[in-house]
Amino acid sequence: MINMLDLLVEIGLIIGILISAIYIAEAKPISRAVGGFILFSVLVAILFLYLGFPFLAAFQVTIYAGAVSGLFLLAMSIARPELPEEEVEKE
């Protein structure tokens, strides 16, 4: 029989993953979407660790939360800077 605490942890992680995925899709500035992606990647890594896959969790954190997020931030810094919404409406 499944332990009630295990069930609550799994449901909590899945809800957190879904909320962070929705936040990534709906975030207006790209920098906030990258922050949501980091949160999403860390939550998925915690889920992998909880399910008993520690190496997969380590790869998730190092590759997605670390390298891919770093590349997103690098691309944002190279690309043209975002204008605040007030300046965009004036143009």
mmCIF file of all heavy atoms in Angstrom, residues 9 14 48 53 61 69 76 78:
data_model
loop_
_atom_site.group_PDB
_atom_site.id
_atom_site.type_symbol
_atom_site.label_atom_id
_atom_site.label_comp_id
_atom_site.label_asym_id
_atom_site.label_seq_id
_atom_site.Cartn_x
_atom_site.Cartn_y
_atom_site.Cartn_z
ATOM 1 N N VAL A 9 3.883 13.893 -1.472
ATOM 2 C CA VAL A 9 5.124 14.428 -2.046
ATOM 3 C C VAL A 9 5.065 14.363 -3.569
ATOM 4 O O VAL A 9 5.398 15.332 -4.256
ATOM 5 C CB VAL A 9 6.355 13.668 -1.498
ATOM 6 C CG1 VAL A 9 7.598 14.009 -2.284
ATOM 7 C CG2 VAL A 9 6.553 13.978 -0.028
ATOM 8 N N ILE A 14 4.434 17.173 -8.742
ATOM 9 C CA ILE A 14 3.788 17.263 -10.045
ATOM 10 C C ILE A 14 3.041 18.586 -10.194
ATOM 11 O O ILE A 14 3.107 19.226 -11.251
ATOM 12 C CB ILE A 14 2.861 16.051 -10.266
ATOM 13 C CG1 ILE A 14 3.709 14.788 -10.408
ATOM 14 C CG2 ILE A 14 1.974 16.249 -11.479
ATOM 15 C CD1 ILE A 14 2.926 13.514 -10.418
ATOM 16 N N PHE A 48 13.026 13.034 -10.045
ATOM 17 C CA PHE A 48 13.882 11.906 -10.421
ATOM 18 C C PHE A 48 14.581 11.319 -9.204
ATOM 19 O O PHE A 48 14.677 10.099 -9.054
ATOM 20 C CB PHE A 48 14.926 12.319 -11.456
ATOM 21 C CG PHE A 48 14.388 12.526 -12.835
ATOM 22 C CD1 PHE A 48 14.989 13.440 -13.688
ATOM 23 C CD2 PHE A 48 13.311 11.817 -13.306
ATOM 24 C CE1 PHE A 48 14.518 13.632 -14.970
ATOM 25 C CE2 PHE A 48 12.821 12.001 -14.581
ATOM 26 C CZ PHE A 48 13.427 12.902 -15.413
ATOM 27 N N PHE A 53 16.335 7.670 -9.115
ATOM 28 C CA PHE A 53 17.275 7.792 -10.222
ATOM 29 C C PHE A 53 18.244 8.941 -9.945
ATOM 30 O O PHE A 53 18.123 10.024 -10.526
ATOM 31 C CB PHE A 53 16.528 8.050 -11.536
ATOM 32 C CG PHE A 53 15.571 6.959 -11.917
ATOM 33 C CD1 PHE A 53 14.210 7.131 -11.791
ATOM 34 C CD2 PHE A 53 16.054 5.758 -12.386
ATOM 35 C CE1 PHE A 53 13.326 6.133 -12.141
ATOM 36 C CE2 PHE A 53 15.183 4.744 -12.741
ATOM 37 C CZ PHE A 53 13.814 4.933 -12.612
ATOM 38 N N VAL A 61 20.093 18.440 -13.341
ATOM 39 C CA VAL A 61 20.530 19.694 -12.719
ATOM 40 C C VAL A 61 21.713 20.293 -13.472
ATOM 41 O O VAL A 61 21.727 21.492 -13.760
ATOM 42 C CB VAL A 61 20.879 19.468 -11.228
ATOM 43 C CG1 VAL A 61 21.586 20.673 -10.645
ATOM 44 C CG2 VAL A 61 19.627 19.167 -10.447
ATOM 45 N N SER A 69 20.229 26.774 -19.111
ATOM 46 C CA SER A 69 19.819 28.071 -18.567
ATOM 47 C C SER A 69 20.918 29.109 -18.745
ATOM 48 O O SER A 69 20.636 30.275 -19.037
ATOM 49 C CB SER A 69 19.464 27.934 -17.093
ATOM 50 O OG SER A 69 18.415 27.026 -16.937
ATOM 51 N N MET A 76 20.381 36.022 -24.127
ATOM 52 C CA MET A 76 19.645 37.239 -23.773
ATOM 53 C C MET A 76 20.579 38.433 -23.655
ATOM 54 O O MET A 76 20.220 39.547 -24.035
ATOM 55 C CB MET A 76 18.907 37.051 -22.447
ATOM 56 C CG MET A 76 17.680 36.218 -22.568
ATOM 57 S SD MET A 76 16.888 35.889 -20.988
ATOM 58 C CE MET A 76 17.325 37.267 -19.993
ATOM 59 N N ILE A 78 23.402 38.845 -25.255
ATOM 60 C CA ILE A 78 23.935 39.197 -26.572
ATOM 61 C C ILE A 78 22.874 39.879 -27.430
ATOM 62 O O ILE A 78 23.167 40.817 -28.167
ATOM 63 C CB ILE A 78 24.488 37.937 -27.275
ATOM 64 C CG1 ILE A 78 25.738 37.456 -26.545
ATOM 65 C CG2 ILE A 78 24.793 38.213 -28.731
ATOM 66 C CD1 ILE A 78 26.279 36.139 -27.054
#
